[in-house]
Amino acid sequence: MGSNCSLHLAWPEGKHLRNDVEVRWSKYGLKFTGGEIICANQKGTVLPATRQPLEEGWKRLEGMASGDRRHGKEPAAVEEDNFPEGLRVLAVDDDRVCLRVLEAVLRECKYKPTGVMDGRTALKLLREKGEDHFDLVITDVHMPDMDGFQLLELIGLEMDLPVIMLSVNGEKATMYKGIKHGACDYIVKPADIKEIRNIWQHVVRKNHVAVIHNRSDSDDADQRVARPVIGKGGAKSKKCSKKKRNDGEGSDDDKRGRRRNTWKKPRVSWTGELHNRFLEVVYRLGVDRAVPKAILEMMNVHNLSRENVASHLQKYRLFLKRVTDDPMKPNHMGDSSESRRNASYMGMSHQGVLPSSALCPCGSHNLNAAPPSILGPHGLSIQPRNWAMSTVGNGGLMPDTGSRHASGPPVGLFANTSDQPMQDAFPRIHFRSGKAYHSVLRQKLMEVNTSVVPSSHPGTSSVAAEMPNGGQLEPANQFLVQPREQIGHFSGPMGMAPSAMGTHGDTQLPYLAGNCTNPWQNNVAPSSFAGSMVGAPLLPSSQVNVNLPQINQTIFAPSSSEMAVFQNEQQNQMAGTNINNTTSVDIYSQQMTPLFNMASNAAPVEMTNANFSPMNQMMVNGGSTSSPSLNLQAGNPVAPPAQMANGGGSSSSALPGHLDSSVVPPAQMVNGGGSSSSSLPSHLGSSVALQTQMLNGGEGASGILPVQDDPARWHDSDHQPTYSTSNFLEDIFASMASQDFNPDALW
Amino acid sequence: MAATMKLSTLGYAASMLSTGLLDEQFQKLLLLQNKSDPNFVAETITLFCEDGEHTIGELTKRLDKQCVNFDEVAAFVHKLEGGSASVGAKRVKNTCIRFLDFCKEKSRDGCLKTLDTLRVVFYEVSGKFKDMLQLEQQQAEATK
């Protein structure tokens, strides 16, 4: 208010209800709702009805101004210029030395301290004089009788004052406790003057929040303070429910030192938990229908505004886009349809190429747009859908050639044709830590596997992965079996694969990336495959193989040799396909095959049942082959999308013949060791994606992560061909788990 | 007058600081003193010395028993820790921290040993404080 202002609204701070007028006054503004405005001029002349409060208000202003000058002067000046001078602080400490020093510091900051030596006296004073008599309370934590936390809670319950904890103990646990009980801040003794100078911010904050909350009744969401609270508990919630504005207390610590003269909407902090919920909702809604409003409603989180959600969603979308775009650069999928896959090899729904719908029982549809799983900082979110879908065939996981469905299993990822199963199998899983993801994933895979594996088919031998029968999964089964035998240690993740493969229709992701370990083993009954597919559990069909090699490469960068071996072996097994020496990656990829169906070459390779070999070739593109298409080989970060399997040597580009385009590049998963990320064959779906990441030769996060399983499961021990996959997976998991997904990087 | 006093105090403080008896908190205390409260430092450190002595007496009494109530002991030590931190008596504070560890462990021996150290350290600083105050007072009287 300028000096000429003739209208001065003065009210004691706080809330007053008079004649249907609700007035909230803080030093920063006045808010009125309903009724009339009652005011007084600068000189203090007020309408009679409100004389009382106004007088008090005046007094306060006077008190605040150092000295008496207020009288007759513009009170506004106090607010604007002198605040926080005169801040009335109640200091509580049982030690008189500390109390004295604290009071001295407060005085030095031009505040008005009142010192008491115990909590009871403090409460008494507060109750008697009214909470409006003080602006802020600073209390020691350790006091006989009533300790600081108790005082804090009582003040919080009875009145709305900011409370700062003070203690010589700077332990995090104590600080945490303080914040949890509702403290605005926690200062370590001896209180430094710089810190004390800033305490007024807590007062402002509280007031502002109150004002704003009152102001926007209709649109609270936008004005809500602080973090959205998914679940509150304890003292804080009492305060919150009571005041509707103390949510931000916990975060006050970070605000220290920052000038907060103007109201700024507190930032919503997207914690892992919150983000998970967000993802969950988004998935449920479906990418297409995930609009902020709907998301907000479904999330059902307090203090979250539509805007918060909208901006978060946008970030998420950008993230997805970035992630998917990357690996999938050249999308060669022969299929035009596939090209469309959207990147997300994360498996999302890309339909990816799947020319061969046959491949995936899932029909090739990708799941819709479901947002790809977000791997990474936010943990893994696996989109169930993706699995199902796209993987099949398109997703890239399965190169599945149209006719083959079989690849289903290999695809592992897409194991199931229907979303449903997938969805069940892979519920949204968001993890911040890779580890958790692995285990969940594995679990899921197991579930899937078990459910899936149906047809085990012993037969197909030659093609290891291939499913001789059109059915898709059959080969898978075999495949499954195989793993068991061959894969010695696989324990894991791939386990799923088997099951995935098994069923014809639903290729559940065979291995959710990485889980190539045991699960398979268990599930798989010895089958003819066994021998051959050592690594390739996932994809009995060639498709799988195809992918694998690629993946292997990527993933296994380190153990390439093993892979190579493996691959070769596989190749042999598989109807002679030649699995190239791709290194361990190959092996792995075998496992991953399902996942990667797509991988391999640029062109969707069609994996014909019959021929597995081509597939193998494709897959194997082990380091050596040229597989142009996928450059999985180390060094190629992102092989041509989709075609993962660069068959060893074989023309990588398109999987020889047989692969139906189902191999959807999306994944380009196999990233040559070097690349990071990318190649997650999209079909892999999120899980794969995740995996892929890891796979990259262990390097970057990206890469194809085969089904993840507990890293622990993977033992590093021997890189035998059979084992390699598991080993590989372990590596992946390990690297995943250890990876520090930096959310910032993602966003 | 005030300036003189301050100087001598500062001199004393400087020596205590350099020996590690005091830390920068004491300097801050000196800065806090101003016209409106000219005796702030003097009063504060006097209070510190008094309270500290009292605390040490209580601690000695409590630790003398066979059955020690470590919580009570810890409460006293904690108080002294806070006070010493507030005036900048670094060694006293650090000794209190160690003392608290022994209290947590419920080690009577540890506590007793630390109490001895505490006694030594405390009297060292409180002695110096008293000397400083005396010096100031003498100076004040001399300049009167």
Side-chain angles (χ1 to χ4, degrees):
Chain A
M1 295 200 174
S3 40
N4 299 334
C5 182
S6 58
L7 182 65
H8 178 74
L9 302 174
W11 224 263
E13 199 168 315
K15 174 180 161 174
H16 300 270
L17 210 50
R18 292 234 187 288
N19 305 328
D20 299 327
V21 176
E22 181 185 323
V23 178
R24 268 195 183 269
W25 185 62
S26 76
K27 298 180 206 38
Y28 305 90
L30 268 168
K31 177 196 159 74
F32 299 89
T33 46
E36 40 186 38
I37 295 175
I38 297 163
C39 48
N41 66 9
Q42 288 180 7
K43 295 200 170 69
T45 307
V46 306
L47 292 179
T50 60
R51 191 174 192 79
Q52 185 76 15
L54 280 170
E55 278 173 358
E56 283 179 23
W58 274 112
K59 276 194 196 125
R60 205 164 142 243
L61 287 173
E62 284 179 22
M64 280 189 48
S66 13
D68 63 36
R69 315 168 308 193
R70 271 328 112 190
H71 203 84
K73 288 216 188 139
E74 274 192 302
V78 173
E79 292 179 283
E80 285 152 22
D81 305 338
N82 291 0
F83 182 79
E85 278 182 28
L87 200 71
R88 298 157 307 165
V89 182
L90 179 62
V92 189
D93 197 321
D94 64 320
D95 182 43
R96 57 184 180 165
V97 173
C98 299
L99 191 60
R100 224 178 124 91
V101 173
L102 180 60
E103 284 178 321
V105 175
L106 287 167
R107 259 186 227 109
E108 187 69 12
C109 295
K110 306 243 185 9
Y111 296 156
K112 272 188 93 180
T114 306
V116 296
M117 291 195 60
D118 67 277
R120 283 183 216 286
T121 312
L123 274 174
K124 191 159 157 272
L125 203 59
L126 285 168
R127 285 169 187 151
E128 277 174 11
K129 304 256 180 157
E131 68 179 89
D132 291 339
H133 195 80
F134 291 103
D135 293 308
L136 179 138
V137 178
I138 299 186
T139 174
D140 185 23
V141 168
H142 298 268
M143 296 190 289
D145 275 4
M146 185 189 295
D147 77 18
F149 298 117
Q150 288 174 310
L151 180 62
L152 168 61
E153 289 208 32
L154 287 169
I155 293 178
L157 282 172
E158 296 180 26
M159 44 201 101
D160 183 30
L161 277 177
V163 180
I164 295 178
M165 309 299 290
L166 188 65
S167 177
V168 68
N169 175 347
E171 280 173 25
K172 246 195 272 182
T174 323
M175 287 184 158
Y176 184 74
K177 189 176 173 191
I179 302 302
K180 273 191 84 170
H181 279 75
C184 288
D185 205 346
Y186 191 109
I187 300 179
V188 180
K189 281 189 205 175
D192 188 57
I193 194 163
K194 291 193 224 77
E195 290 179 298
I196 298 295
R197 258 196 235 283
N198 288 331
I199 61 177
W200 61 271
Q201 296 175 7
H202 300 293
V203 178
V204 173
R205 193 177 299 118
K206 259 198 194 271
N207 289 333
H208 252 188
V209 178
V211 169
I212 288 190
H213 272 293
N214 282 325
R215 184 196 315 152
S216 54
D217 291 332
S218 53
D219 195 5
D220 276 349
D222 288 345
Q223 303 288 354
R224 284 297 175 79
V225 178
R227 351 170 154 270
V229 178
I230 293 185
K232 312 188 271 207
K236 201 138 182 279
S237 58
K238 279 188 248 159
K239 213 162 185 195
C240 290
S241 47
K242 176 182 177 228
K243 300 292 177 179
K244 216 169 86 150
R245 59 184 161 156
N246 294 340
D247 301 337
E249 276 180 343
S251 60
D252 282 1
D253 270 342
D254 354 329
K255 305 200 176 105
R256 282 181 122 243
R258 274 197 266 154
R259 301 276 331 175
R260 314 258 315 198
N261 278 333
T262 50
W263 172 248
K264 275 200 238 192
K265 191 143 73 105
R267 279 172 115 242
V268 164
S269 162
W270 283 88
T271 61
E273 195 192 343
L274 189 62
H275 181 70
N276 275 351
R277 192 182 277 208
F278 167 82
L279 286 171
E280 191 173 11
V281 166
V282 169
Y283 289 170
R284 250 191 275 145
L285 288 172
V287 155
D288 298 329
R289 288 190 339 263
V291 286
K293 190 158 167 30
I295 295 173
L296 179 68
E297 279 166 19
M298 279 185 79
M299 277 179 76
N300 191 25
V301 165
H302 294 315
N303 302 331
L304 189 60
S305 75
R306 197 204 71 84
E307 288 168 353
N308 297 140
V309 173
S311 72
H312 192 72
L313 179 64
Q314 185 187 39
K315 283 190 208 158
Y316 179 75
R317 288 216 169 108
L318 289 172
F319 164 77
L320 289 182
K321 189 171 178 314
R322 182 162 70 77
V323 158
T324 53
D325 280 347
D326 252 16
M328 314 261 296
K329 253 342 106 149
N331 204 336
H332 319 210
M333 311 237 267
D335 235 74
S336 44
S337 53
E338 284 116 280
S339 17
R340 247 339 30 206
R341 305 256 175 173
N342 1 7
S344 8
Y345 51 86
M346 295 268 194
M348 309 277 250
S349 50
H350 301 302
Q351 321 280 315
V353 193
L354 290 222
S356 46
S357 35
L359 183 83
C360 307
C362 314
S364 47
H365 348 245
N366 322 294
L367 299 169
N368 57 24
S373 46
I374 306 268
L375 298 177
H378 303 281
L380 296 181
S381 19
I382 296 198
Q383 183 112 143
R385 273 121 137 303
N386 295 322
W387 283 88
M389 317 274 258
S390 29
T391 48
V392 178
N394 305 327
L397 282 188
M398 304 258 279
D400 196 37
T401 46
S403 48
R404 250 287 108 318
H405 246 279
S407 13
V411 181
L413 290 178
F414 309 107
N416 45 65
T417 20
S418 52
D419 282 1
Q420 235 354 299
M422 265 338 239
Q423 224 148 1
D424 297 341
F426 304 103
R428 159 191 63 76
I429 301 173
H430 308 296
F431 297 95
R432 280 218 172 259
S433 79
K435 237 182 188 26
Y437 172 77
H438 305 332
S439 22
V440 173
L441 212 43
R442 187 162 64 71
Q443 204 178 356
K444 285 298 163 195
L445 281 175
M446 298 287 288
E447 290 170 22
V448 171
N449 277 342
T450 31
S451 60
V452 176
V453 178
S455 31
S456 7
H457 212 64
T460 16
S461 46
S462 59
V463 184
E466 244 357 40
M467 311 221 244
N469 34 325
Q472 335 183 4
L473 292 195
E474 270 151 354
N477 294 328
Q478 306 201 338
F479 211 119
L480 291 177
V481 176
Q482 244 177 25
R484 172 174 325 190
E485 299 189 351
Q486 317 261 316
I487 301 183
H489 14 256
F490 231 46
S491 31
M494 296 299 250
M496 291 285 299
S499 50
M501 309 230 277
T503 7
H504 185 109
D506 25 1
T507 17
Q508 312 269 351
L509 302 184
Y511 50 70
L512 254 177
N515 279 344
C516 302
T517 43
N518 280 330
W520 281 36
Q521 308 258 303
N522 307 329
N523 297 325
V524 175
S527 77
S528 47
F529 254 128
S532 48
M533 295 285 269
V534 167
L538 292 179
L539 190 54
S541 58
S542 48
Q543 298 169 351
V544 174
N545 291 333
V546 175
N547 296 326
L548 283 183
Q550 309 289 337
I551 300 186
N552 288 339
Q553 290 228 279
T554 343
I555 301 175
F556 273 174
S559 44
S560 51
S561 49
E562 285 168 7
M563 283 302 274
V565 175
F566 179 72
Q567 294 250 325
N568 286 327
E569 224 176 288
Q570 292 232 9
Q571 279 185 336
N572 296 336
Q573 303 273 355
M574 304 221 190
T577 10
N578 51 313
I579 296 194
N580 281 332
N581 29 289
T582 25
T583 54
S584 48
V585 172
D586 282 344
I587 295 182
Y588 178 85
S589 53
Q590 294 287 343
Q591 304 221 359
M592 310 256 319
T593 338
L595 281 177
F596 296 107
N597 270 312
M598 319 273 307
S600 51
N601 317 329
V605 177
E606 64 182 39
M607 312 245 274
T608 41
N609 299 332
N611 294 261
F612 195 64
S613 36
M615 293 284 295
N616 288 336
Q617 304 212 340
M618 298 237 243
M619 291 223 302
V620 177
N621 45 90
S624 54
T625 41
S626 45
S627 48
S629 44
L630 281 187
N631 327 325
L632 295 179
Q633 317 276 331
N636 285 315
V638 177
Q643 323 258 335
M644 284 240 299
N646 300 303
S650 57
S651 44
S652 37
S653 45
L655 280 178
H658 5 277
L659 283 175
D660 283 341
S661 40
S662 52
V663 181
V664 185
Q668 332 234 343
M669 295 213 304
V670 185
N671 306 318
S675 50
S676 45
S677 62
S678 43
S679 310
L680 256 195
S682 44
H683 45 268
L684 281 183
S686 47
S687 56
V688 174
L690 192 47
Q691 318 254 337
T692 6
Q693 309 261 339
M694 296 242 295
L695 291 185
N696 276 319
E699 48 167 36
S702 49
I704 301 178
L705 278 185
V707 175
Q708 304 278 358
D709 192 351
D710 281 343
R713 305 271 296 302
W714 294 95
H715 24 116
D716 248 307
S717 46
D718 44 336
H719 289 277
Q720 303 299 345
T722 37
Y723 154 120
S724 45
T725 318
S726 38
N727 197 2
F728 174 71
L729 285 172
E730 263 177 340
D731 290 343
I732 296 186
F733 282 127
S735 59
M736 256 191 41
S738 62
Q739 243 159 37
D740 203 13
F741 288 105
N742 179 5
D744 294 337
L746 273 178
W747 294 112
Chain B
M1 199 119 358
T4 325
M5 274 161 53
K6 226 158 182 201
L7 266 176
S8 62
T9 309
L10 281 168
Y12 239 92
S15 80
M16 284 166 92
L17 278 160
S18 63
T19 53
L21 211 53
L22 294 181
D23 61 25
E24 65 273 6
Q25 173 63 17
F26 187 73
Q27 289 171 305
K28 293 179 189 171
L29 275 193
L30 292 176
L31 291 171
L32 284 174
Q33 180 159 296
N34 54 25
K35 256 189 247 173
S36 57
D37 194 1
N39 292 325
F40 168 68
V41 176
E43 286 174 10
T44 305
I45 62 182
T46 306
L47 286 178
F48 169 73
C49 295
E50 285 175 15
D51 284 357
E53 274 186 48
H54 174 75
T55 301
I56 290 185
E58 286 290 325
L59 287 171
T60 309
K61 209 166 62 174
R62 279 155 213 276
L63 281 170
D64 221 6
K65 304 184 187 160
Q66 272 312 56
C67 182
V68 179
N69 181 342
F70 287 100
D71 290 338
E72 276 182 3
V73 169
F76 276 107
V77 177
H78 198 90
K79 237 179 116 180
L80 185 57
E81 188 192 356
S84 58
S86 299
V87 301
K90 187 162 78 168
R91 283 199 209 147
V92 176
K93 182 181 90 172
N94 291 339
T95 311
C96 288
I97 294 173
R98 287 203 305 276
F99 204 137
L100 284 172
D101 287 339
F102 283 117
C103 287
K104 262 191 233 151
E105 291 170 24
K106 302 220 194 289
S107 155
R108 185 162 173 265
D109 285 343
C111 287
L112 281 169
K113 261 210 291 204
T114 318
L115 178 60
D116 286 341
T117 310
L118 184 64
R119 209 179 272 115
V120 167
V121 168
F122 173 79
Y123 282 114
E124 192 184 355
V125 77
S126 89
K128 287 255 158 72
F129 275 151
K130 286 187 179 143
D131 290 346
M132 184 167 73
L133 289 175
Q134 222 171 26
L135 188 61
E136 274 192 30
Q137 191 151 26
Q138 284 169 5
Q139 294 220 330
E141 282 168 14
T143 47
K144 270 198 190 122

